[in-house]
Amino acid sequence: MAPAQGQFSDHSDGVESKERAEGLSVPPAFQAAVEALRSARLRPELEVEVTRPPQRLAPHAYALEAAVVDGEDDLADGRLVLLHDPAGHDAWQGAFRLVTLVRAELEPEMAADPLLPEVCWSWLTGALDARGLSYGEAGGTVTRAGSHYFGALSARRPATQIEIRASWTPREGRGGVPDAASHLMAWGDLLCQIAGLPPSDPADAAVVTLPQRRGPQVS
């Protein structure tokens, strides 16, 4: 992942180039939401880049990837996709949808906590609520997976990874445009929290975070 701490890298303009190449017009509301994403101010520990969006989920899509980096270690990583259907979507209850995947490797004592899935889900909703964001139709899964290594890999210690897959509908404001930048910042808060970083705001010092650790090794 190319370094772009606290902001987007500029080597790709993502969905905008794709739609121009195919002769498709970009709805003004979607364009405004994308520009808001690109102007968001994120924590410096986050390295972010634009990536190819998924196909056929919505008429318009924009995607980014991010990692929480400490030196050469990725403590957590994730993907956030902004979807837009100008005609609206019954399941979304709106014209926009945010879809995410977040994952991190856990310390053994945290991995054994039976309430861990509930806690991780509360981190997502709590990150949105802490920024005063209005949203609806939130849903998703929290998966805890363990790996044990054998043979030539037996020197590696057992590892447990937590994975959050979720989506929610950001409420639209003036001009039918959601506060995409604030939703991205809340998502960045979630990534840093699951990575075990201390809160950036002293007022949030009571929030429980995971111990700092080496992140997942993804092939």
Side-chain angles (χ1 to χ4, degrees):
M1 180 169 292
Q5 292 185 343
Q7 60 183 1
F8 290 97
S9 59
D10 292 325
H11 69 275
S12 170
D13 58 0
V15 69
E16 299 165 82
S17 294
K18 171 181 177 293
E19 291 183 335
R20 284 198 296 267
E22 295 180 358
L24 302 177
S25 61
V26 180
F30 180 63
Q31 182 69 49
V34 169
E35 290 302 321
L37 286 175
R38 294 182 62 87
S39 65
R41 300 288 295 176
L42 303 175
R43 288 182 57 163
E45 298 92 346
L46 284 166
E47 294 189 355
V48 187
E49 66 178 12
V50 178
T51 188
R52 181 180 296 277
Q55 305 297 310
R56 297 190 286 279
L57 290 182
H60 307 278
Y62 188 82
L64 61 93
E65 293 178 341
V68 182
V69 178
D70 178 22
E72 297 182 355
D73 294 337
D74 285 3
L75 304 180
D77 60 54
R79 193 178 204 215
L80 184 69
V81 182
L82 175 68
L83 304 176
H84 178 54
D85 186 341
H89 196 294
D90 290 342
W92 302 352
Q93 293 296 298
F96 286 88
R97 189 74 171 171
L98 284 162
V99 182
T100 189
L101 164 65
V102 172
R103 56 195 173 184
E105 190 173 300
L106 303 179
E107 293 292 340
E109 62 270 19
M110 290 298 298
D113 187 343
L115 296 179
L116 182 65
E118 289 83 357
V119 170
C120 288
W121 182 255
S122 74
W123 288 346
L124 169 62
T125 57
L128 296 170
D129 294 340
R131 291 189 176 270
L133 293 170
S134 179
Y135 63 96
E137 308 305 316
T141 62
V142 178
T143 303
R144 174 171 40 191
S147 298
H148 295 264
Y149 300 95
F150 301 93
L153 301 179
S154 60
R156 296 187 184 182
R157 62 177 183 140
T160 300
Q161 187 180 83
I162 196 76
E163 180 180 275
I164 303 173
R165 292 180 180 268
S167 62
W168 65 94
T169 299
R171 294 307 182 205
E172 298 160 23
R174 181 177 300 178
V177 182
D179 187 356
S182 293
H183 280 271
L184 172 56
M185 289 188 286
W187 181 73
D189 294 340
L190 169 65
L191 264 178
C192 289
Q193 187 166 22
I194 201 170
L197 298 186
S200 59
D201 185 349
D204 296 334
V207 175
V208 176
T209 58
L210 291 175
Q212 199 167 19
R213 61 199 167 275
R214 185 178 180 86
Q217 303 301 304
V218 182
S219 57

Short mmCIF file of all heavy atoms in Angstrom, two decimals, residues 108-150:
data_model
loop_
_atom_site.label_atom_id
_atom_site.label_comp_id
_atom_site.label_asym_id
_atom_site.label_seq_id
_atom_site.Cartn_x
_atom_site.Cartn_y
_atom_site.Cartn_z
N PRO A 108 -3.75 -13.38 22.26
CA PRO A 108 -4.51 -14.56 22.72
C PRO A 108 -5.52 -14.26 23.81
O PRO A 108 -6.63 -14.80 23.80
CB PRO A 108 -3.40 -15.50 23.23
CG PRO A 108 -2.19 -15.10 22.46
CD PRO A 108 -2.30 -13.61 22.26
N GLU A 109 -5.18 -13.37 24.75
CA GLU A 109 -6.12 -13.11 25.84
C GLU A 109 -7.38 -12.40 25.36
O GLU A 109 -8.47 -12.62 25.90
CB GLU A 109 -5.45 -12.29 26.95
CG GLU A 109 -4.95 -10.91 26.54
CD GLU A 109 -3.53 -10.94 26.03
OE1 GLU A 109 -3.05 -12.02 25.65
OE2 GLU A 109 -2.90 -9.86 26.02
N MET A 110 -7.24 -11.56 24.33
CA MET A 110 -8.42 -10.90 23.77
C MET A 110 -9.23 -11.88 22.92
O MET A 110 -10.46 -11.85 22.92
CB MET A 110 -7.99 -9.71 22.93
CG MET A 110 -7.44 -8.53 23.72
SD MET A 110 -8.66 -7.82 24.86
CE MET A 110 -9.93 -7.28 23.71
N ALA A 111 -8.55 -12.74 22.18
CA ALA A 111 -9.24 -13.67 21.30
C ALA A 111 -10.14 -14.62 22.07
O ALA A 111 -11.14 -15.11 21.55
CB ALA A 111 -8.22 -14.47 20.49
N ALA A 112 -9.80 -14.90 23.34
CA ALA A 112 -10.57 -15.84 24.14
C ALA A 112 -11.80 -15.21 24.79
O ALA A 112 -12.62 -15.92 25.38
CB ALA A 112 -9.68 -16.44 25.24
N ASP A 113 -11.95 -13.92 24.68
CA ASP A 113 -13.08 -13.23 25.32
C ASP A 113 -14.38 -13.61 24.60
O ASP A 113 -14.55 -13.33 23.41
CB ASP A 113 -12.86 -11.72 25.25
CG ASP A 113 -13.91 -10.94 26.04
OD1 ASP A 113 -14.97 -11.52 26.37
OD2 ASP A 113 -13.68 -9.76 26.33
N PRO A 114 -15.35 -14.24 25.30
CA PRO A 114 -16.58 -14.65 24.63
C PRO A 114 -17.43 -13.48 24.15
O PRO A 114 -18.28 -13.65 23.27
CB PRO A 114 -17.31 -15.47 25.70
CG PRO A 114 -16.76 -14.99 26.99
CD PRO A 114 -15.33 -14.65 26.73
N LEU A 115 -17.22 -12.29 24.71
CA LEU A 115 -18.00 -11.12 24.31
C LEU A 115 -17.33 -10.31 23.21
O LEU A 115 -17.83 -9.25 22.83
CB LEU A 115 -18.24 -10.22 25.53
CG LEU A 115 -19.08 -10.81 26.66
CD1 LEU A 115 -19.21 -9.82 27.81
CD2 LEU A 115 -20.45 -11.24 26.15
N LEU A 116 -16.22 -10.81 22.69
CA LEU A 116 -15.47 -10.05 21.70
C LEU A 116 -16.30 -9.64 20.49
O LEU A 116 -16.24 -8.48 20.06
CB LEU A 116 -14.24 -10.82 21.26
CG LEU A 116 -13.34 -10.11 20.25
CD1 LEU A 116 -12.71 -8.87 20.88
CD2 LEU A 116 -12.26 -11.05 19.73
N PRO A 117 -17.11 -10.53 19.87
CA PRO A 117 -17.90 -10.09 18.71
C PRO A 117 -18.84 -8.93 19.03
O PRO A 117 -18.94 -7.97 18.25
CB PRO A 117 -18.68 -11.36 18.33
CG PRO A 117 -17.83 -12.48 18.81
CD PRO A 117 -17.24 -11.98 20.11
N GLU A 118 -19.51 -8.99 20.18
CA GLU A 118 -20.40 -7.91 20.56
C GLU A 118 -19.64 -6.61 20.77
O GLU A 118 -20.09 -5.52 20.39
CB GLU A 118 -21.18 -8.27 21.83
CG GLU A 118 -22.24 -9.34 21.64
CD GLU A 118 -21.68 -10.76 21.68
OE1 GLU A 118 -20.44 -10.92 21.81
OE2 GLU A 118 -22.49 -11.70 21.57
N VAL A 119 -18.46 -6.71 21.39
CA VAL A 119 -17.64 -5.53 21.63
C VAL A 119 -17.21 -4.91 20.31
O VAL A 119 -17.29 -3.68 20.12
CB VAL A 119 -16.43 -5.88 22.51
CG1 VAL A 119 -15.44 -4.72 22.55
CG2 VAL A 119 -16.88 -6.24 23.91
N CYS A 120 -16.75 -5.73 19.37
CA CYS A 120 -16.29 -5.20 18.09
C CYS A 120 -17.42 -4.53 17.32
O CYS A 120 -17.22 -3.48 16.69
CB CYS A 120 -15.68 -6.32 17.25
SG CYS A 120 -14.07 -6.88 17.86
N TRP A 121 -18.61 -5.11 17.36
CA TRP A 121 -19.74 -4.46 16.68
C TRP A 121 -20.07 -3.12 17.35
O TRP A 121 -20.38 -2.13 16.66
CB TRP A 121 -20.97 -5.37 16.70
CG TRP A 121 -22.13 -4.75 15.97
CD1 TRP A 121 -23.24 -4.18 16.51
CD2 TRP A 121 -22.26 -4.60 14.56
NE1 TRP A 121 -24.07 -3.69 15.53
CE2 TRP A 121 -23.49 -3.94 14.32
CE3 TRP A 121 -21.47 -4.98 13.47
CZ2 TRP A 121 -23.93 -3.64 13.03
CZ3 TRP A 121 -21.90 -4.67 12.19
CH2 TRP A 121 -23.12 -4.02 11.99
N SER A 122 -19.97 -3.06 18.66
CA SER A 122 -20.25 -1.80 19.36
C SER A 122 -19.22 -0.74 19.02
O SER A 122 -19.51 0.46 19.07
CB SER A 122 -20.29 -2.02 20.88
OG SER A 122 -18.99 -2.22 21.41
N TRP A 123 -17.99 -1.16 18.66
CA TRP A 123 -16.98 -0.19 18.23
C TRP A 123 -17.40 0.50 16.93
O TRP A 123 -17.17 1.69 16.76
CB TRP A 123 -15.63 -0.86 18.05
CG TRP A 123 -14.98 -1.25 19.33
CD1 TRP A 123 -15.33 -0.84 20.60
CD2 TRP A 123 -13.88 -2.14 19.49
NE1 TRP A 123 -14.50 -1.43 21.52
CE2 TRP A 123 -13.61 -2.22 20.87
CE3 TRP A 123 -13.11 -2.87 18.60
CZ2 TRP A 123 -12.57 -3.01 21.37
CZ3 TRP A 123 -12.08 -3.64 19.09
CH2 TRP A 123 -11.82 -3.70 20.47
N LEU A 124 -18.00 -0.26 16.02
CA LEU A 124 -18.45 0.32 14.76
C LEU A 124 -19.56 1.34 15.01
O LEU A 124 -19.47 2.50 14.60
CB LEU A 124 -18.93 -0.77 13.81
CG LEU A 124 -19.68 -0.28 12.56
CD1 LEU A 124 -18.76 0.59 11.70
CD2 LEU A 124 -20.21 -1.46 11.75
N THR A 125 -20.62 0.92 15.67
CA THR A 125 -21.73 1.84 15.92
C THR A 125 -21.29 2.98 16.83
O THR A 125 -21.73 4.12 16.65
CB THR A 125 -22.92 1.09 16.53
OG1 THR A 125 -22.51 0.44 17.74
CG2 THR A 125 -23.44 0.04 15.57
N GLY A 126 -20.41 2.69 17.78
CA GLY A 126 -19.93 3.73 18.67
C GLY A 126 -19.11 4.78 17.94
O GLY A 126 -19.18 5.97 18.26
N ALA A 127 -18.31 4.36 16.94
CA ALA A 127 -17.52 5.31 16.17
C ALA A 127 -18.42 6.26 15.38
O ALA A 127 -18.15 7.46 15.29
CB ALA A 127 -16.58 4.57 15.22
N LEU A 128 -19.52 5.73 14.84
CA LEU A 128 -20.46 6.58 14.11
C LEU A 128 -21.20 7.51 15.06
O LEU A 128 -21.35 8.71 14.80
CB LEU A 128 -21.46 5.70 13.35
CG LEU A 128 -20.88 4.81 12.24
CD1 LEU A 128 -21.93 3.82 11.75
CD2 LEU A 128 -20.35 5.65 11.08
N ASP A 129 -21.64 6.97 16.19
CA ASP A 129 -22.38 7.78 17.15
C ASP A 129 -21.51 8.87 17.76
O ASP A 129 -21.98 9.98 18.02
CB ASP A 129 -22.94 6.89 18.27
CG ASP A 129 -24.00 5.90 17.77
OD1 ASP A 129 -24.56 6.14 16.68
OD2 ASP A 129 -24.24 4.89 18.45
N ALA A 130 -20.23 8.56 17.99
CA ALA A 130 -19.33 9.53 18.62
C ALA A 130 -19.16 10.77 17.76
O ALA A 130 -18.88 11.86 18.29
CB ALA A 130 -17.97 8.89 18.90
N ARG A 131 -19.31 10.64 16.46
CA ARG A 131 -19.21 11.80 15.57
C ARG A 131 -20.57 12.39 15.25
O ARG A 131 -20.68 13.26 14.36
CB ARG A 131 -18.46 11.41 14.30
CG ARG A 131 -16.97 11.13 14.57
CD ARG A 131 -16.17 10.97 13.31
NE ARG A 131 -14.74 10.79 13.61
CZ ARG A 131 -13.87 11.78 13.71
NH1 ARG A 131 -14.26 13.04 13.53
NH2 ARG A 131 -12.60 11.53 13.99
N GLY A 132 -21.59 11.93 15.95
CA GLY A 132 -22.92 12.51 15.78
C GLY A 132 -23.54 12.24 14.43
O GLY A 132 -24.35 13.04 13.95
N LEU A 133 -23.19 11.11 13.82
CA LEU A 133 -23.68 10.82 12.47
C LEU A 133 -25.04 10.15 12.50
O LEU A 133 -25.33 9.32 13.37
CB LEU A 133 -22.67 9.91 11.76
CG LEU A 133 -21.32 10.57 11.47
CD1 LEU A 133 -20.31 9.54 10.99
CD2 LEU A 133 -21.49 11.68 10.44
N SER A 134 -25.84 10.48 11.52
CA SER A 134 -27.16 9.88 11.36
C SER A 134 -27.07 8.80 10.30
O SER A 134 -26.59 9.05 9.19
CB SER A 134 -28.18 10.94 10.97
OG SER A 134 -29.45 10.38 10.80
N TYR A 135 -27.53 7.60 10.63
CA TYR A 135 -27.43 6.48 9.70
C TYR A 135 -28.55 5.49 10.00
O TYR A 135 -29.20 5.55 11.05
CB TYR A 135 -26.07 5.79 9.81
CG TYR A 135 -25.79 5.18 11.17
CD1 TYR A 135 -26.05 3.83 11.41
CD2 TYR A 135 -25.32 5.96 12.22
CE1 TYR A 135 -25.83 3.28 12.66
CE2 TYR A 135 -25.08 5.41 13.47
CZ TYR A 135 -25.33 4.08 13.68
OH TYR A 135 -25.12 3.53 14.93
N GLY A 136 -28.77 4.57 9.10
CA GLY A 136 -29.79 3.56 9.31
C GLY A 136 -29.45 2.25 8.63
O GLY A 136 -28.46 2.14 7.90
N GLU A 137 -30.31 1.25 8.87
CA GLU A 137 -30.20 -0.06 8.23
C GLU A 137 -28.80 -0.67 8.38
O GLU A 137 -28.27 -1.29 7.46
CB GLU A 137 -30.56 0.03 6.74
CG GLU A 137 -31.89 0.70 6.45
CD GLU A 137 -33.06 0.04 7.20
OE1 GLU A 137 -33.11 -1.20 7.21
OE2 GLU A 137 -33.90 0.78 7.75
N ALA A 138 -28.20 -0.49 9.56
CA ALA A 138 -26.86 -1.05 9.80
C ALA A 138 -26.97 -2.56 10.02
O ALA A 138 -27.85 -3.04 10.74
CB ALA A 138 -26.21 -0.38 11.00
N GLY A 139 -26.07 -3.30 9.39
CA GLY A 139 -26.06 -4.75 9.58
C GLY A 139 -24.69 -5.30 9.23
O GLY A 139 -23.91 -4.65 8.52
N GLY A 140 -24.40 -6.49 9.74
CA GLY A 140 -23.11 -7.07 9.41
C GLY A 140 -22.79 -8.27 10.25
O GLY A 140 -23.63 -8.79 10.99
N THR A 141 -21.57 -8.72 10.14
CA THR A 141 -21.08 -9.89 10.87
C THR A 141 -19.73 -9.59 11.49
O THR A 141 -18.95 -8.77 10.98
CB THR A 141 -20.92 -11.11 9.94
OG1 THR A 141 -19.95 -10.82 8.94
CG2 THR A 141 -22.25 -11.48 9.28
N VAL A 142 -19.47 -10.25 12.61
CA VAL A 142 -18.15 -10.22 13.24
C VAL A 142 -17.68 -11.67 13.32
O VAL A 142 -18.35 -12.52 13.92
CB VAL A 142 -18.18 -9.59 14.64
CG1 VAL A 142 -16.78 -9.64 15.27
CG2 VAL A 142 -18.68 -8.15 14.57
N THR A 143 -16.54 -11.96 12.70
CA THR A 143 -16.04 -13.32 12.62
C THR A 143 -14.69 -13.42 13.31
O THR A 143 -13.80 -12.60 13.09
CB THR A 143 -15.88 -13.75 11.14
OG1 THR A 143 -17.13 -13.60 10.48
CG2 THR A 143 -15.42 -15.19 11.04
N ARG A 144 -14.56 -14.44 14.14
CA ARG A 144 -13.30 -14.72 14.82
C ARG A 144 -12.77 -16.05 14.30
O ARG A 144 -13.44 -17.07 14.38
CB ARG A 144 -13.54 -14.77 16.34
CG ARG A 144 -12.36 -15.18 17.16
CD ARG A 144 -12.63 -14.99 18.65
NE ARG A 144 -13.99 -15.37 19.03
CZ ARG A 144 -14.53 -15.11 20.23
NH1 ARG A 144 -13.86 -14.44 21.13
NH2 ARG A 144 -15.75 -15.50 20.50
N ALA A 145 -11.56 -16.02 13.73
CA ALA A 145 -10.99 -17.23 13.11
C ALA A 145 -9.61 -17.49 13.68
O ALA A 145 -8.79 -16.59 13.81
CB ALA A 145 -10.91 -17.07 11.60
N GLY A 146 -9.35 -18.76 14.04
CA GLY A 146 -8.05 -19.14 14.59
C GLY A 146 -7.23 -19.94 13.60
O GLY A 146 -7.78 -20.71 12.80
N SER A 147 -5.92 -19.76 13.64
CA SER A 147 -5.00 -20.50 12.78
C SER A 147 -3.95 -21.20 13.63
O SER A 147 -3.35 -20.57 14.52
CB SER A 147 -4.31 -19.56 11.78
OG SER A 147 -5.25 -18.94 10.93
N HIS A 148 -3.72 -22.49 13.37
CA HIS A 148 -2.66 -23.25 14.01
C HIS A 148 -1.73 -23.75 12.91
O HIS A 148 -2.17 -24.19 11.85
CB HIS A 148 -3.23 -24.42 14.81
CG HIS A 148 -4.08 -23.99 15.97
ND1 HIS A 148 -3.61 -23.89 17.25
CD2 HIS A 148 -5.39 -23.60 16.02
CE1 HIS A 148 -4.57 -23.48 18.06
NE2 HIS A 148 -5.66 -23.30 17.33
N TYR A 149 -0.43 -23.69 13.17
CA TYR A 149 0.56 -23.96 12.13
C TYR A 149 1.27 -25.29 12.39
O TYR A 149 1.57 -25.63 13.53
CB TYR A 149 1.57 -22.81 12.06
CG TYR A 149 0.92 -21.49 11.74
CD1 TYR A 149 0.55 -20.61 12.76
CD2 TYR A 149 0.65 -21.13 10.43
CE1 TYR A 149 -0.06 -19.40 12.47
CE2 TYR A 149 0.03 -19.92 10.12
CZ TYR A 149 -0.31 -19.06 11.15
OH TYR A 149 -0.93 -17.86 10.86
N PHE A 150 1.55 -26.02 11.30
CA PHE A 150 2.13 -27.35 11.40
C PHE A 150 3.26 -27.51 10.39
O PHE A 150 3.41 -26.73 9.45
CB PHE A 150 1.06 -28.41 11.18
CG PHE A 150 -0.08 -28.34 12.16
CD1 PHE A 150 -1.23 -27.61 11.85
CD2 PHE A 150 0.00 -28.98 13.39
CE1 PHE A 150 -2.28 -27.53 12.75
CE2 PHE A 150 -1.05 -28.89 14.29
CZ PHE A 150 -2.19 -28.16 13.98
#
